[in-house]
Amino acid sequence: MKLNLLDRLDKLQAPLNVLVAVLIGFIIGTGLMLVEGHNIGEAYTALFNGAFSGRFNFGGTLERFVPLLLSGLAFAISSKASVFNVGVEGQLYFGAMAAAYFGYTIVGLPSFLHITLVLLLAGLAGALWALIPGFLRAAYRVNEVCTTIMLNYVAIYFTSYIVNHLFKNPHIGVPQTPNIQESARLARILMPSRANIGVYIALGIVLFFIWLMDYTTLGYKIKTVGLNPQFATYAGFQARSIMVGAMVLSGFIGGITGAIQVLGIHGYFLDNFSKSLGFDGIMVALLARNNLKVLPFVAFFLAALKSGAVGMERFTGIPRELIGIMEAVIILFAAAEAIIVIRRRLSYQKGGAEVV
Amino acid sequence: MEPIVKMTGIVKQFPNVLALKGVDFSVEKGEVHSLVGENGAGKSTLMNILYGVLQPDLGEIYVRGQKQVIHSVRDAMHLGIGMVHQEFMLAPSMTVVENIILGFEPNRRSVVDYDAAAEKIRALSEEYGLAIRPESRIIDNSVGEAQRVEIIKALYRGAEVLILDEPTAVLTPQETEDLFKVIRSLKEHGKTVIFISHKLQEVLAISDRITVMRDGRVQGTLLASEATKEKIATLMVGREVFLNIKAPEGKRGGVVLDVQGVSARGRRRLSDLKNVSFQVHAGEILGIAGVDGNGQSELVEVLTGLRRVDQGDIFVSGTKITNLPPGEIRERGVSHIPEDRNRSGLCAELTVAENLVATKLKRPPLSKNGVIRGQAVRELASRLVEEYDIRPGDYRIPTRNLSGGNRQKVVVAREVSEDAQLLIAAHPTRGVDIGSIEFIRSILIAQREEGKAILLVSADLEEVLSLSDRIAVMYEGRIVGILPASEANEQVLGLMMAGGEYAKAQGEEEKVVEA
């Protein structure tokens, strides 16, 4: 019975720690505002309104929510298998480019089919891009963190080359692709914001992966390989292929993340459009501890902060970077705490390996 | 006379278990005092408290009649208490001398005085009959030698009371006999030895007195001269036990496992597999005896696909399985209880149910088209938990909350329920409580009765002798002989485990008898 109690505490500990990190973030943010001589009440009111009040502001939150959620999911899925896909950003660029291309070139399909097809092709583009580091890791033990980071640059500059030279909208001075077909566009919600039905698609994808991890043999294998690769091999799973598989799944989600930005927000691929949407996902996954059920809440919270920061800046003149500092503090504390948890686990396994 | 060490009312609480529930324990100067009990009875905890590694929550410690608070290992050493742990605390790439003096180097004008150290060590080694090679590196020493180094290290630091934590677990019977000579010589020189073990025969052979612990309490202290194995075992378990189940000769069937001239690279050079050949028949238990690290682990790994075979072939029921991946070997009718349940055999974070179904999940009825059928998983898990008496009986808790014995039962339940033709059991009862040992052994016998072929690897000779139909002995990656269990005894096996041929071993035994 004692054990169960400890387990329950263990489960509670994670969210509690995140809450503490958030609290510290707000305290430090508030401190900075005070030092700068701002009115705290006004600032937080503006922050809240900027995130939630009215269709436009709430829409802005949802618009930011989607890429945070999906790129967070992408990073979390690979982490489940102990593979760290820092290349979501690059996969997202490839997915976005594929979406822009197929959204423009495929003509005459009904909207539903066109969107589905484009999303799948974009996912595939991201997946293929993720296959490279996955394969290198499995076959030659090349550290995937290094390769994915480096491949991000390749992806960003390669798509930049495409949009500048091969597939550019000739009527506009900026490097962007031609507009996609109407049939590929994701319907807007909460006009006049740019929020769109990508929200539902993203939530659907998260639900699907929650199901995949909990109720399929593939999910079980990914989980097992991540927790104890030696056991996975012993039990007869192909640990390496599963690691590659997790990487590819992660890249697939990364690709779709990019596609939704193109289909739902811009309507075309714009050179260098992401500005680290893929990296933000790492932060989301970290805060959620790769727990898929927690991801949406974390993503929503961060989206609201980002969206509120814009409103706050507009109405109070407090620079939105201040919220950026708050985010950084939160991440820092959450990450530091995560390290403590992991070390405790390790010492537990080494020391009192067996409870008697 | 005043006891040299007296511990009274020792209580120790760990985060989720009360490890010691008020223990009184005292040792006379100059005696060999054994501390026996199942795993988890609290022996090691008690000794770690005496050695300053752990602090008691309640209770008092008296050394030579003086009340002491032992804060650290250094305090213990100042009081003349030394301990040789089960896992040696030696730096492998340093020499014997360097290891012994580490932290206690004799100085001469702030330069380490190796000559003085070597001199002192040599004197200790001669005095107690501890044969060592002072200039050799630990890495080149055998386990027995390393153990002697540990003992000298303790003596060098001035130990009067020497705690030996399961010292025979890693030794051959002959090495054990050597160790006993050392212990007797220590006793002659007035040293006090606390000997921790669960091998009752050894305990009876070496001790003056025996203290039995169970469940964090002392069950009694006996004079060795008045104790019997049965008496001790009953105190240890709290009921009568039957460990030496010898089933009647089984009906031996056709060849299931056929290993033909297999060679493979080992973890160390000594454990390279060199041209290993043998067969295991249906309805037979073939025991593999040997000192740990002579290629047994490597043998199990090549058989289960976890290590590459360089030469030779392996057949299971006529199908070649050489160098197939582990999953495919399993599909061809091989199940495997691995030697290290915590690293290979289980995933501690997963629940009991998830661990129980790991190898069966991809097949119906547990999954269909890759989708897990929760109902079927729960049914199987609850059936296995009940059948194999896995405690606590809740299959939804993480496996890490289980005791060693129950974790092993999870592994055994999963592997035996595979219903494979060949069961490979590597050290199936190592580090497991007596109750579970009894249970696991009876399962192996039952499997044999069902006509399964069983390869049993164990460092525990008693286990190999009582369960096997035939026994193969491994030494330095070779099989030095295979003999029927009826012709085997500890003496013969011990000589073979040290590299002797079967015939020669027999000859020497006869000589012993003649003498």
Side-chain angles (χ1 to χ4, degrees):
Chain A
M1 284 304 102
K2 266 182 204 157
L3 293 176
N4 286 341
L5 189 68
L6 276 180
D7 268 356
R8 235 172 280 154
L9 277 177
D10 244 17
K11 275 187 187 145
L12 267 180
Q13 195 199 347
L16 268 178
N17 281 317
V18 173
L19 282 184
V20 169
V22 170
L23 203 67
I24 295 173
F26 271 98
I27 289 170
I28 290 181
T30 309
L32 284 174
M33 286 183 206
L34 284 174
V35 169
E36 294 278 310
H38 294 295
N39 182 326
I40 302 299
E42 246 175 46
Y44 281 117
T45 313
L47 185 72
F48 183 84
N49 287 338
F52 300 112
S53 102
R55 296 166 67 94
F56 180 76
N57 289 332
F58 187 60
T61 298
L62 287 187
E63 175 197 333
R64 290 173 174 83
F65 167 66
V66 172
L68 281 173
L69 176 60
L70 283 180
S71 56
L73 176 68
F75 187 76
I77 285 291
S78 64
S79 306
K80 291 259 182 202
S82 271
V83 186
F84 299 99
N85 180 12
V86 193
V88 177
E89 182 83 353
Q91 292 136 21
L92 179 151
Y93 269 94
F94 266 99
M97 180 52 89
Y101 181 76
F102 294 112
Y104 171 70
T105 52
I106 298 176
V107 191
L109 280 183
S111 186
F112 176 75
L113 272 183
H114 195 180
I115 290 169
T116 312
L117 187 64
V118 169
L119 287 179
L120 286 177
L121 287 167
L124 205 62
L128 285 175
W129 192 241
L131 186 61
I132 301 171
F135 171 78
L136 288 173
R137 155 89 191 244
Y140 302 107
R141 295 190 184 184
V142 182
N143 185 312
E144 78 279 8
V145 175
C146 294
T147 47
T148 48
I149 289 178
M150 293 192 291
L151 284 172
N152 280 339
Y153 293 102
V154 180
I156 293 168
Y157 290 116
F158 187 60
T159 50
S160 174
Y161 173 78
I162 294 175
V163 71
N164 274 293
H165 299 283
L166 303 177
F167 185 45
K168 182 174 179 301
N169 185 341
H171 310 296
I172 297 178
V174 271
Q176 66 181 53
T177 61
N179 285 339
I180 57 169
Q181 308 297 332
E182 270 312 305
S183 58
R185 281 209 164 258
L186 297 177
R188 289 272 161 93
I189 54 174
L190 296 172
M191 298 280 250
S193 80
R194 296 195 294 178
N196 54 69
I197 56 164
V199 177
Y200 306 124
I201 298 176
L203 286 173
I205 291 174
V206 171
L207 282 178
F208 172 77
F209 276 95
I210 288 174
W211 173 81
L212 181 97
M213 289 306 296
D214 284 354
Y215 296 99
T216 67
T217 51
L218 179 65
Y220 177 86
K221 287 176 185 173
I222 290 178
K223 207 162 51 173
T224 310
V225 168
L227 289 169
N228 186 346
Q230 207 172 330
F231 169 69
T233 310
Y234 152 84
F237 310 154
Q238 307 260 8
R240 285 180 180 185
S241 332
I242 290 162
M243 281 178 169
V244 178
M247 193 64 156
V248 167
L249 275 182
S250 177
F252 189 86
I253 303 166
I256 288 182
T257 315
I260 291 181
Q261 293 305 102
V262 167
L263 304 188
I265 309 265
H266 305 291
Y268 47 78
F269 180 97
L270 176 66
D271 193 7
N272 214 2
F273 77 97
S274 154
K275 297 185 197 71
S276 87
L277 289 176
F279 289 112
D280 288 348
I282 299 177
M283 170 170 100
V284 175
L286 189 73
L287 271 182
R289 293 267 158 63
N290 300 327
N291 183 334
L292 304 192
K293 288 165 194 154
V294 179
L295 275 179
F297 299 100
V298 173
F300 187 77
F301 170 71
L302 288 174
L305 263 189
K306 281 178 192 297
S307 168
V310 178
M312 186 181 75
E313 184 177 59
R314 198 176 306 138
F315 289 105
T316 65
I318 300 173
R320 68 173 92 164
E321 282 76 12
L322 199 137
I323 298 300
I325 293 175
M326 255 165 73
E327 268 176 34
V329 170
I330 293 171
I331 300 301
L332 216 59
F333 275 89
E337 192 279 328
I339 291 162
I340 292 167
V341 167
I342 290 163
R343 285 190 48 188
R344 209 173 55 110
R345 279 269 160 75
L346 286 180
S347 65
Y348 182 86
Q349 284 177 344
K350 270 170 73 183
E354 287 172 352
V355 186
V356 187
Chain B
M1 206 177 73
E2 192 117 51
I4 187 159
V5 168
K6 191 170 145 204
M7 304 173 83
T8 57
I10 304 288
V11 172
K12 180 68 186 174
Q13 169 84 53
F14 284 130
N16 39 31
V17 67
L18 189 56
L20 296 176
K21 304 170 180 170
V23 170
D24 297 324
F25 177 65
S26 80
V27 181
E28 302 294 335
K29 185 173 161 46
E31 74 168 335
V32 176
H33 194 128
S34 285
L35 196 53
V36 299
E38 300 189 43
N39 282 343
K43 299 166 296 189
S44 292
T45 307
L46 187 68
M47 287 303 106
N48 278 325
I49 285 173
L50 181 58
Y51 191 49
V53 178
L54 297 173
Q55 307 305 317
D57 296 325
L58 283 175
E60 288 164 356
I61 303 174
Y62 299 86
V63 179
R64 296 180 196 87
Q66 301 267 308
K67 188 176 164 189
Q68 302 285 355
V69 179
I70 305 176
H71 291 292
S72 65
V73 172
R74 212 158 253 273
D75 285 356
M77 284 178 191
H78 282 304
L79 294 168
I81 298 166
M83 181 158 174
V84 175
H85 287 89
Q86 209 171 348
E87 272 148 45
F88 300 144
M89 315 262 173
L90 298 170
S93 57
M94 293 170 82
T95 67
V96 167
V97 170
E98 284 167 339
N99 264 289
I100 291 172
I101 65 176
L102 192 66
F104 296 82
E105 303 88 353
N107 280 323
R108 213 172 54 187
R109 282 178 245 114
S110 52
V111 174
V112 177
D113 190 346
Y114 282 105
D115 294 337
E119 187 54 39
K120 191 171 167 193
I121 289 166
R122 198 155 290 135
L124 281 174
S125 134
E126 275 165 24
E127 191 175 353
Y128 298 101
L130 287 151
I132 55 160
R133 296 173 291 149
E135 304 306 328
S136 64
R137 297 196 304 162
I138 295 297
I139 218 171
D140 301 321
N141 277 228
S142 71
V143 179
E145 279 178 308
Q147 191 172 60
R148 293 197 284 274
V149 172
E150 280 279 16
I151 294 174
I152 293 193
K153 191 168 87 180
L155 294 172
Y156 180 88
R157 291 171 181 189
E160 288 297 318
V161 178
L162 201 60
I163 306 163
L164 304 177
D165 189 3
E166 306 238 1
T168 59
V170 289
L171 304 179
T172 63
Q174 279 75 17
E175 282 177 314
T176 301
E177 201 38 59
D178 289 343
L179 174 69
F180 282 3
K181 279 182 200 145
V182 170
I183 293 179
R184 287 190 195 102
S185 135
L186 287 167
K187 186 183 158 184
E188 274 164 29
H189 287 78
K191 306 276 182 190
T192 310
V193 177
I194 302 174
F195 182 84
I196 304 178
S197 181
H198 60 249
K199 294 189 188 168
L200 304 185
Q201 214 164 343
E202 292 173 358
V203 165
L204 285 168
I206 193 71
S207 324
D208 297 310
R209 288 197 300 160
I210 300 161
T211 294
V212 183
M213 288 185 75
R214 167 159 46 97
D215 197 19
R217 287 198 177 87
V218 167
Q219 298 299 317
T221 298
L222 315 167
L223 284 173
S225 49
E226 293 169 5
T228 61
K229 260 183 159 178
E230 288 70 29
K231 239 186 210 168
I232 303 174
T234 307
L235 281 177
M236 272 167 84
V237 185
R239 62 179 168 82
E240 271 192 271
V241 281
F242 309 93
L243 289 178
N244 290 323
I245 23 172
K246 184 74 200 180
E249 288 273 316
K251 318 162 277 299
R252 193 166 119 160
V255 174
V256 173
L257 174 67
D258 190 0
V259 181
Q260 301 181 351
V262 164
S263 299
R265 193 81 59 79
R267 286 173 210 173
R268 302 178 306 146
R269 209 168 44 76
L270 279 186
S271 60
D272 282 352
L273 293 180
K274 296 155 193 123
N275 195 20
V276 170
S277 299
F278 64 90
Q279 295 179 329
V280 187
H281 293 254
E284 171 187 61
I285 298 182
L286 177 72
I288 303 253
V291 180
D292 273 357
N294 276 281
Q296 301 96 310
S297 310
E298 284 80 359
L299 176 63
V300 170
E301 285 167 3
V302 298
L303 295 180
T304 51
L306 296 168
R307 180 177 292 274
R308 270 202 74 75
V309 176
D310 294 332
Q311 247 176 47
D313 272 313
I314 304 164
F315 297 88
V316 170
S317 306
T319 319
K320 190 164 138 181
I321 59 155
T322 322
N323 284 333
L324 286 182
E328 291 185 31
I329 291 181
R330 281 182 173 276
E331 278 166 25
R332 284 163 179 72
V334 180
S335 64
H336 171 201
I337 300 167
E339 61 176 35
D340 186 341
R341 61 174 163 275
N342 292 319
R343 268 199 284 163
S344 301
L346 292 169
C347 186
E349 285 83 7
L350 292 182
T351 64
V352 171
E354 284 172 313
N355 273 293
L356 281 170
V357 300
T359 54
K360 302 178 181 67
L361 203 56
K362 61 184 168 204
R363 297 190 298 266
L366 296 189
S367 72
K368 206 173 148 189
N369 303 324
V371 180
I372 297 169
R373 297 175 64 190
Q375 183 60 30
V377 168
R378 285 188 292 275
E379 273 171 21
L380 178 67
S382 71
R383 185 167 64 80
L384 290 178
V385 162
E386 188 167 326
E387 223 171 276
Y388 289 82
D389 190 26
I390 295 163
R391 278 178 260 184
D394 184 354
Y395 54 77
R396 289 165 305 181
I397 62 172
T399 315
R400 74 179 129 92
N401 289 350
L402 267 52
S403 72
N406 282 296
R407 286 185 195 191
Q408 185 70 350
K409 283 196 236 166
V410 171
V411 177
V412 170
R414 183 185 63 221
E415 297 304 322
V416 170
S417 63
E418 285 286 279
D419 206 22
Q421 297 158 294
L422 173 66
L423 173 63
I424 298 175
H427 308 286
T429 61
R430 178 184 278 177
V432 165
D433 58 280
I434 289 200
S436 303
I437 292 179
E438 200 183 7
F439 183 67
I440 291 170
R441 287 185 182 169
S442 71
I443 286 174
L444 291 180
I445 294 283
Q447 284 297 299
R448 190 192 74 167
E449 296 310 294
E450 277 187 29
K452 301 286 156 54
I454 298 172
L455 182 72
L456 169 73
V457 176
S458 179
D460 183 347
L461 274 188
E462 227 181 297
E463 176 162 288
V464 172
L465 279 166
S466 73
L467 293 184
S468 314
D469 299 299
R470 289 186 303 142
I471 300 171
V473 181
M474 286 194 78
Y475 176 71
E476 294 192 350
R478 255 184 285 268
I479 290 198
V480 291
I482 303 181
L483 60 163
S486 52
E487 290 174 25
N489 58 42
E490 297 216 357
Q491 204 64 35
V492 173
L493 291 182
L495 287 167
M496 291 170 76
M497 282 159 74
E501 302 283 328
Y502 171 37
K504 231 172 85 192
Q506 255 188 334
E508 283 190 34
E509 195 207 9
E510 272 156 27
K511 256 185 263 163
V512 173
V513 175
E514 280 163 29

